[in-house]
Amino acid sequence: MASAPDAAASLRVLSGAFSAVELRDRVVIMLLFDQVVREDQVELAWQLWNQMSPAGAREPLWRVLTLFPDLDRELVYAEAARVYGFEEANLDRRVALFMIQKYAGMMPEAHWNALVELRVVPIDDAEETATHPARTIFATQDPTRPEVHRLLPLLDLPGYELRYAPEDALVNLLVEAFPRRYAYLKGLSGMSRDLLAGAAIDAIEVPPSPVVTDGPGSSLHVFEDTLVEAVRARATDVCFLPAADGRLEVYFQHGEALQRRRVLDEPRAKEFVRAIRRQVILDEQTLAPRVAKRSIRRWIDGARVGFRVAAVPPHEEVHAECIVVHVGS
């Protein structure tokens, strides 16, 4: 069974100016050799990597390249899997759907939710042979991720094996197995590159922006994009509040100060709140008179950030149900 690469070994800080001949990241070297990336793109990734926080700097240099919107990130992940000895998964749709439904029903909910969040999907069972024990085969976009290797031993399986598969293929399987439960993954998969690239590449620091009026858009896109903005603005909390005129007001909190960040020209603000309840908090009782909560995590600026998302029912000071997000967990 292949193991995760040693991040410290693959990340050697290069002194002085960038030099391609001094690269120690084997994945980046192979990407250059195969002409998947250009040297100027690697130099920009190297500069960004050196600007990242200590938490982000533990990521290998090649993973920074997956944030670039002009690169096919799946080619980067596939190369990384090959370099570190992970096979490409042969996805049999019928078998994979059976495995997803089987393991979703038999695993503790917390473990299964963690697998889905990391896009780690059971795709087959392998019987014991003379050279290999019985094991469950999982596919994921990035089999080198440390979080994956910390999670799998907790599942108490006789054995397991990790293989590479494109994210879209894995999301399609999850959605087909449980259409209502995982429909929201389609939107997240499609926008993930733009969100990450916007956070990591556009700028490290973003000054506060004035209140602006935006046009209507995807509820999930607005929600996810605002999480990125809140982290970069160092907000402690975010509130999505339907206004009396039907538009959606977005507030950022910094300590005791509450700032109205923007007003979305969204005529169905209450439907926005219900959509986030259903697709992010995953609570079908969208009108229940109680606070519904869920913790989520996202990769932003090269670091994994936790959020606590809550749907707060109307009360004395707020006339409509709103979404409140605490940044950091």
Side-chain angles (χ1 to χ4, degrees):
M1 179 175 61
S3 60
D6 183 347
S10 63
L11 287 180
R12 299 185 183 180
V13 178
L14 305 179
S15 60
F18 170 79
S19 171
V21 298
E22 294 184 47
L23 285 172
R24 297 295 182 267
D25 189 309
R26 291 184 292 157
V27 177
V28 177
I29 291 171
M30 291 305 300
L31 289 170
L32 284 168
F33 180 79
D34 293 336
Q35 299 184 342
V36 175
V37 299
R38 302 187 308 270
E39 186 173 328
D40 63 298
Q41 293 170 320
V42 175
E43 181 175 4
L44 177 57
W46 178 82
Q47 292 171 350
L48 289 169
W49 173 73
N50 278 292
Q51 294 178 52
M52 285 181 176
S53 65
R58 287 197 295 268
E59 293 298 324
L61 177 60
W62 66 262
R63 197 171 280 129
V64 179
L65 288 166
T66 67
L67 308 178
F68 283 40
D70 59 338
L71 287 178
D72 186 338
R73 63 203 305 255
E74 286 300 344
L75 292 178
V76 179
Y77 282 119
E79 188 69 68
R82 283 192 293 270
V83 167
Y84 288 106
F86 294 95
E87 294 182 26
E88 183 167 357
N90 180 18
L91 297 177
D92 182 313
R93 172 181 160 275
R94 181 183 59 81
V95 175
L97 290 174
F98 170 79
M99 293 290 292
I100 291 169
Q101 293 165 344
K102 170 186 172 182
Y103 277 82
M106 64 181 281
M107 278 187 181
E109 184 176 2
H111 287 169
W112 177 254
N113 288 341
L115 285 174
V116 172
E117 183 177 332
L118 293 169
R119 308 295 190 270
V120 180
V121 178
I123 60 168
D124 203 355
D125 275 328
E127 297 181 354
E128 183 176 3
T129 66
T131 56
H132 291 88
R135 62 204 184 281
T136 302
I137 298 176
F138 292 90
T140 187
Q141 181 188 47
D142 185 1
T144 74
R145 285 180 68 170
E147 298 97 323
V148 174
H149 291 267
R150 287 196 294 267
L151 173 62
L152 290 178
L154 303 178
L155 304 182
D156 197 27
L157 297 170
Y160 61 84
E161 179 182 338
L162 265 177
R163 296 181 183 177
Y164 161 78
E167 181 186 26
D168 284 348
L170 300 175
V171 168
N172 288 338
L173 287 170
L174 288 168
V175 173
E176 185 174 357
F178 298 101
R180 293 188 62 188
R181 187 174 180 182
Y182 295 127
Y184 75 98
L185 294 176
K186 283 279 193 178
L188 295 181
S189 174
M191 73 178 65
S192 60
R193 177 192 294 182
D194 291 340
L195 292 175
L196 289 169
I201 293 177
D202 288 349
I204 300 300
E205 295 288 342
V206 178
S209 60
V211 175
V212 296
T213 300
D214 295 333
S218 161
S219 296
L220 272 176
H221 182 88
V222 170
F223 178 79
E224 295 285 342
D225 197 29
T226 304
L227 295 188
V228 172
E229 185 182 357
V231 170
R232 296 171 69 191
R234 294 185 171 88
T236 57
D237 296 272
V238 181
C239 179
F240 298 88
L241 177 64
D245 62 2
R247 296 191 298 173
L248 187 71
E249 297 180 343
V250 180
Y251 291 85
F252 282 9
Q253 184 164 354
H254 299 82
E256 299 297 323
L258 190 65
Q259 173 199 20
R260 190 171 71 168
R261 189 74 173 190
R262 63 163 55 100
V263 178
L264 300 170
D265 192 15
E266 172 56 73
R268 296 175 298 279
K270 291 183 179 179
E271 281 72 9
F272 171 92
V273 171
R274 293 191 181 101
I276 299 305
R277 230 186 191 275
R278 181 177 65 253
Q279 299 179 61
V280 177
I281 303 177
L282 304 179
D283 187 340
E284 295 295 335
Q285 302 179 49
T286 56
L287 299 179
R290 60 183 176 82
V291 177
K293 300 179 181 178
R294 185 192 177 204
S295 294
I296 61 175
R297 290 181 294 172
R298 298 289 185 264
W299 279 100
I300 298 175
D301 282 3
R304 199 155 179 81
V305 183
F307 302 89
R308 293 198 297 274
V309 187
V312 181
H315 52 84
E316 293 181 359
E317 299 179 1
V318 180
H319 74 282
E321 182 182 40
C322 62
I323 298 293
V324 177
V325 182
H326 178 69
V327 182
S329 57

